[in-house]
Amino acid sequence: MTSRRRAVTTTPTAPAAPTAKRDRTHYLYLAVIAAVALGIVVGLVWPDAGVELKPLGTGFVNLIKMMISPIIFCTIVLGIGSVRKAAKVGAVGGIALGYFLVMSLVALAIGLVVGNILHPGDGLHLTNAIKATGHSQVDSEALGPVDFVLSIIPTTFVSAFTEGQVLQTLLIALLAGFALQAMGSVGQPVLRGVEHIQRLVFRILGMIMWAAPIGAFGAIAAVVGSAGLDALKSLAVLMLGFYVTCVLFVFIVLGALLRIVAGLNILTLFKYLAREFLLILSTSSSESALPRLIAKMEHLGVSKAVVGITVPTGYSFNLDGTMIYMTMASLYIADALGTPMSVGEQIPLLLFLLLASKGAAGVSGAGLATLAGGLQSHKPALVDGVGLIVGIDRFMSEARALTNFAGNSVATVLIGTWTKDIDKARMQQVLAGELPFDEKTLLDEGEAEGGTPELPEQREELAKA
């Protein structure tokens, strides 16, 4: 009897449901929108003051860039180190580079067609000041093909992180990942250490993101204050044509590919990446969203190996927006100088610019610098006209950055689908809002607790090992 009473009194009660953490980061992005609007007002009403605010935007972007190398290193090392077959990593890299080359050619072709239809440079006149401005844009930092390949090799193992070169970090991370892969179980403690470093790096990035409104305010105020309305009016046709071309490329070409290959609506993917697009729009830099793209693509269900190779490589080799920009800008300058190019002249120039853009990867202001450097090497007479687009280059750089980012996000999903390294069930849950992204840590819940979420095939490989 006593034992029965004791049994009754000790019956466990159902535990209370854990209270869901409130996501306060939406206030941050509302603040970014307000800061952008305020920056536009300051740039228009007090242009001189707006230009003086440029360091705010530059400082914020530099804080983000500071985190890119360690994030790329950790992501690639963990991705390759957790895959037991080296050939699988090589296949991902080969597919990625092949895809990047094809899409760059498609972007060039689209820009070529639109540029030849619009002829936006007709009727403009060149002054000596504009000629001097054009020549000043030729950037000596842009490298030739051979020097570019050699520049991928860092001076020391550590200098890959200190010099801020994405491709150097990529090389070191690949070597470290394959070395840990070859070490097998002996390398597991090192992998766990890299996991902890990744969590630390993403937490720091989450803290930096709270400075986004300040950076957005300074960047937009400086752009509007320096360019003003006059520069926009005179070049509105080129800007509008470029924006329309980027929209057509993203939503028709990339949208069709994403629907056919992955069965995914591109608007659904972009809704998931809306905060990253806002960040790029406010800073005019696609690099500011690179770390978050890596985190979000992993959360979406794409394997670490695919994300780690595709995203960093794409930021140097998959510059769809830059390709369209260089095509239309070249045709615009040729028309403005009264020396329109025939199709036979256009194609060799654009193929040259396609190669030159790889040599300028990582150069500050790469779009304008690459254009000027490419024209200087291939058709020097056109460099005089580069000064015509300096005034609106920053506004066009926003469309470049957004298009480049869209191209790399779509590429990651496509390559994950082709290599069967994407968890489609998880992707549907994430896009439906059932598995929200942790904005505080930029990591999955399971990962934050010490485990790295992998695809079922990777779990089997790890179990066998």
Side-chain angles (χ1 to χ4, degrees), residues 70-81:
I71 286 173
I72 289 176
F73 178 80
C74 293
T75 302
I76 294 176
V77 169
L78 290 174
I80 297 176

Side-chain angles (χ1 to χ4, degrees), residues 264-284:
L264 184 62
N265 188 322
I266 196 167
L267 292 176
T268 306
L269 178 64
F270 287 174
K271 181 182 177 183
Y272 172 62
L273 298 171
R275 292 182 174 184
E276 287 65 46
F277 279 110
L278 175 61
L279 183 62
I280 293 170
L281 184 65
S282 60
T283 61
S284 296

Side-chain angles (χ1 to χ4, degrees), residues 133-382:
T133 304
H135 283 280
S136 71
Q137 296 301 318
V138 179
D139 199 320
S140 59
E141 293 183 66
L143 304 174
V146 175
D147 291 333
F148 169 63
V149 172
L150 291 176
S151 72
I152 297 175
I153 305 172
T155 306
T156 67
F157 189 93
V158 180
S159 66
F161 302 95
T162 58
E163 293 178 5
Q165 297 291 333
V166 171
L167 292 181
Q168 290 185 0
T169 307
L170 181 63
L171 175 63
I172 293 297
L174 287 171
L175 293 174
F178 282 122
L180 286 169
Q181 186 185 70
M183 290 168 67
S185 59
V186 178
Q188 289 303 308
V190 180
L191 278 176
R192 284 195 294 273
V194 174
E195 283 183 30
H196 290 299
I197 294 172
Q198 185 191 48
R199 285 197 290 275
L200 170 65
V201 169
F202 274 125
R203 179 56 68 93
I204 294 172
L205 180 65
M207 294 163 60
I208 290 173
M209 289 307 301
W210 285 97
I214 299 172
F217 170 70
I220 292 294
V223 171
V224 176
S226 60
L229 293 178
D230 293 336
L232 304 185
K233 291 175 183 176
S234 63
L235 296 162
V237 176
L238 175 62
M239 283 180 59
L240 183 61
F242 178 57
Y243 284 11
V244 169
T245 306
C246 288
V247 169
L248 291 174
F249 176 80
V250 170
F251 289 99
I252 294 179
V253 178
L254 296 181
L257 269 174
L258 193 63
R259 170 65 75 179
I260 294 168
V261 175
L264 184 62
N265 188 322
I266 196 167
L267 292 176
T268 306
L269 178 64
F270 287 174
K271 181 182 177 183
Y272 172 62
L273 298 171
R275 292 182 174 184
E276 287 65 46
F277 279 110
L278 175 61
L279 183 62
I280 293 170
L281 184 65
S282 60
T283 61
S284 296
S285 170
S286 58
E287 285 189 348
S288 62
L290 187 152
R292 288 180 60 87
L293 179 61
I294 289 175
K296 280 205 159 181
M297 286 293 106
E298 288 183 6
H299 178 72
L300 190 64
V302 185
S303 73
K304 283 182 176 290
V306 171
V307 173
I309 293 171
T310 304
V311 175
T313 309
Y315 263 69
S316 292
F317 290 95
N318 189 35
L319 306 174
D320 301 325
T322 304
M323 296 296 103
I324 296 171
Y325 166 81
M326 289 195 296
T327 306
M328 297 189 67
S330 300
L331 298 180
Y332 170 81
I333 290 169
D335 289 343
L337 294 177
T339 56
M341 294 184 288
S342 65
V343 175
E345 292 176 301
Q346 292 171 16
I347 293 176
L349 171 62
L350 296 174
L351 291 177
F352 179 83
L353 288 172
L354 173 64
L355 297 175
S357 68
K358 312 311 176 198
V363 177
S364 178
L368 196 59
T370 303
L371 175 66
L375 292 176
Q376 175 71 30
S377 302
H378 194 78
K379 200 161 184 176
L382 295 182

Side-chain angles (χ1 to χ4, degrees), residues 5-27:
R5 271 197 211 98
R6 185 174 298 151
V8 171
T9 54
T10 57
T11 301
T13 57
T19 55
K21 295 179 181 178
R22 288 187 63 189
D23 178 17
R24 293 185 174 87
T25 55
H26 63 279
Y27 295 121

